[in-house]
Amino acid sequence: PRTQITGPVARGDARTVALHLEAIKRDLPDALPAYVSLAVASLEISRADISPDDARRLEDVLDRFSR
């Protein structure tokens, strides 16, 4: 079943998420934890709708920026 979540996480688009995170880190670093938290929640909701490889790539990107 498709979720009602949209956007790069729901599509399994780790490249776009990484670009978002890089821009946020550079331009609005205080917002970075919020974006990561929302992306993690979105990933959990969307996990059934994306490939395991895409989910793993997203996890890797989110892990890199959550440190």
Side-chain angles (χ1 to χ4, degrees):
R2 289 305 255 161
T3 64
Q4 296 301 311
I5 302 263
T6 62
V9 174
R11 292 190 305 270
D13 186 353
R15 181 179 181 279
T16 296
V17 171
L19 291 171
H20 288 175
L21 289 164
E22 289 167 4
I24 292 167
K25 183 177 181 180
R26 180 187 64 241
D27 298 334
L28 198 58
D30 289 344
L32 190 62
Y35 186 102
V36 170
S37 293
L38 290 169
V40 167
S42 295
L43 177 56
E44 291 310 310
I45 293 168
S46 302
R47 192 174 289 277
D49 297 324
I50 61 176
S51 75
D53 287 340
D54 286 342
R56 208 168 11 262
R57 281 189 284 274
L58 282 163
E59 289 168 346
D60 291 344
V61 167
L62 294 169
D63 285 346
R64 264 197 337 260
F65 283 89
S66 65
R67 298 180 191 144

